[in-house]
Amino acid sequence: MLAKGGRCQSCHSNCQTCTDTSYNTCITCKEHLFFHQHTCLQTCPDGYYGNEKTGTCMTCHSECGNCTGPENSDCISCERGLYLAEGKCSSSCPESWFAEDSGTC
């Protein structure tokens, strides 16, 4: 709840605390949601992963397009020009692997 004009108003349904009633004014999120740029999300946007401990969206490793964690071994997809093999992105595929048009080895 937030006080506005002498009246209490509810925060957006995803926000635990907020500065206004709109979705992008959250200060903290309800359980099982991730905080990202003053919004509370069920899943983090591309280039970020949901950190369960902090409840925030954290930046993926610089080689990852999408990821499950902060390390270069947590990639689900790679930045353009890199290839994904066994969770890691690199400029070429490992020996005895071949590159596919999809950016995977």
Side-chain angles (χ1 to χ4, degrees):
M1 295 292 242
L2 84 127
K4 192 170 189 177
R7 293 186 2 236
C8 290
Q9 295 182 346
S10 294
C11 295
H12 183 272
S13 60
N14 289 349
C15 303
Q16 184 68 37
T17 59
C18 61
T19 59
D20 201 340
T21 58
S22 63
Y23 77 96
N24 62 350
T25 60
C26 300
I27 298 171
T28 59
C29 299
K30 291 185 177 177
E31 272 192 77
H32 309 295
L33 295 175
F34 298 105
F35 185 78
H36 179 70
Q37 298 178 353
H38 301 287
T39 61
C40 296
L41 308 169
Q42 289 183 343
T43 57
C44 295
D46 288 351
Y48 295 85
Y49 69 95
N51 183 315
E52 298 285 341
K53 285 185 180 180
T54 63
T56 58
C57 292
M58 306 290 289
T59 305
C60 293
H61 186 275
S62 62
E63 295 174 349
C64 301
N66 284 312
C67 64
T68 58
E71 304 299 326
N72 68 343
S73 59
D74 296 324
C75 299
I76 297 170
S77 66
C78 301
E79 287 296 321
R80 185 171 286 246
L82 298 175
Y83 297 96
L84 179 67
E86 298 180 328
K88 290 186 178 183
C89 297
S90 62
S91 58
S92 61
C93 291
E95 191 173 320
S96 76
W97 292 57
F98 68 94
E100 295 191 25
D101 291 339
S102 64
T104 59
C105 294

